Amino acid sequence: MKKAVAVLFIFVILLTLFTACRKKNIITDKEGNEHTLVMKKGEYVQDELGNLVEKYTDEDGKKQTNIISFPDVIKRKDNEIENAYFKLKIPEGWKYDDSIRTFRIQHDGECTKSGAVCEVYTEINKSGDVQDDYDTKIARDRGIAVLGSDIVSDVKEFEETLFGIECKGFSSRYNDNCTHYCFVFGYAHVSIAIQMTINDECVDEDYDPKDFIEEYFTLKDLG
């Protein structure tokens, strides 16, 4: 009896592992359609634009491949999210809201329980025009500051290097004890912006947004 139970237990474990592995290469799009993806060494195969490669069998029974857009976000692990360009390891004390379905993490500390904002997210501009993308983003904060409002102040521009790529950036001070950081750079024929709204109570005085990005973000090699 014990032997039969042990065999059954092993079978259940193997079945669970097989099911988990089988589902790793299947995603569901916004319309609810399932796609079986090509994978290599446990990673999604992507083209130089970040698209995914889907495999399917046509009406004649022949295996074919097709290019599909990468979803806005995929949660690969409990502590990791992914989009077409990045993998993001969720730091301790931060959380990802699966119901929003956007590439964003938010601080989960005492500072946010009162409704304070503390978040990190990305925005993709498919025009690929980094300067225009940057100008649009900084113009928003500058415009609010110029209007005489105390909502935004102390807008500062800087140049930085992220992932070995030169980028344009700025920071601005919000009146709710937050600092907004924005880094914009070109990659894979798009303009990518990493934006951060960091509450003073969430971080130490020597907090460095660049260090945070390079510690938790991984830029994919899209060739």
Side-chain angles (χ1 to χ4, degrees):
M1 181 66 179
K2 290 182 179 180
K3 184 176 181 181
V5 171
V7 171
L8 180 60
F9 179 72
I10 293 172
F11 174 77
V12 170
I13 292 176
L14 291 174
L15 181 61
T16 301
L17 290 173
F18 174 77
T19 303
C21 291
R22 182 175 60 83
K23 290 185 177 181
K24 284 182 179 179
N25 67 333
I26 297 176
I27 64 168
T28 303
D29 61 25
K30 293 180 180 179
E31 287 71 39
N33 302 310
E34 284 193 347
H35 301 273
T36 302
L37 305 177
V38 177
M39 301 189 74
K40 184 177 181 180
K41 295 182 179 179
E43 302 294 339
Y44 298 126
V45 173
Q46 295 177 250
D47 64 13
E48 69 278 4
L49 301 178
N51 296 310
L52 293 165
V53 181
E54 176 186 28
K55 57 183 178 181
Y56 66 98
T57 303
D58 65 18
E59 296 177 354
D60 299 323
K62 294 181 179 180
K63 294 183 179 180
Q64 305 286 353
T65 58
N66 185 36
I67 299 300
I68 62 172
S69 298
F70 204 108
D72 293 337
V73 62
I74 291 176
K75 188 174 183 181
R76 295 290 300 277
K77 303 176 183 177
D78 288 340
N79 67 336
E80 183 179 278
I81 58 176
E82 180 176 349
N83 67 9
Y85 312 99
F86 294 108
K87 288 183 178 180
L88 172 55
K89 182 179 179 181
I90 302 172
E92 184 177 352
W94 293 71
K95 64 181 180 179
Y96 161 68
D97 186 348
D98 188 59
S99 66
I100 302 298
R101 304 301 297 166
T102 190
F103 197 81
R104 181 189 70 180
I105 57 173
Q106 296 174 304
H107 197 261
D108 198 25
E110 292 292 331
C111 61
T112 58
K113 292 184 178 179
S114 61
V117 176
C118 191
E119 60 186 16
V120 179
Y121 60 98
T122 63
E123 290 183 337
I124 309 300
N125 188 322
K126 293 189 176 181
S127 74
D129 191 330
V130 173
Q131 187 63 53
D132 182 68
D133 191 18
Y134 174 80
D135 289 344
T136 299
K137 287 175 169 54
I138 194 172
R140 174 187 174 277
D141 282 16
R142 279 179 170 168
I144 297 174
V146 167
L147 288 174
S149 170
D150 63 350
I151 297 176
V152 177
S153 63
D154 198 22
V155 180
K156 298 178 180 178
E157 292 189 81
F158 53 83
E159 293 185 358
E160 194 55 87
T161 301
L162 286 174
F163 317 107
I165 302 173
E166 292 184 1
C167 65
K168 301 180 68 65
F170 70 89
S171 64
S172 53
R173 186 66 181 167
Y174 287 13
N175 67 351
D176 55 356
N177 298 320
C178 291
T179 301
H180 175 220
Y181 302 95
C182 180
F183 301 83
V184 184
F185 61 96
Y187 186 68
H189 305 286
V190 299
S191 175
I192 298 176
I194 299 178
Q195 302 214 66
M196 317 170 74
T197 303
I198 304 299
N199 190 287
D200 293 346
E201 297 182 28
C202 296
V203 295
D204 298 328
E205 292 183 2
D206 59 350
Y207 173 81
D208 188 323
K210 177 185 174 181
D211 289 347
F212 182 96
I213 292 171
E214 295 200 323
E215 180 175 358
Y216 297 106
F217 279 75
T218 298
L219 182 66
K220 294 181 180 180
D221 182 6
L222 299 177

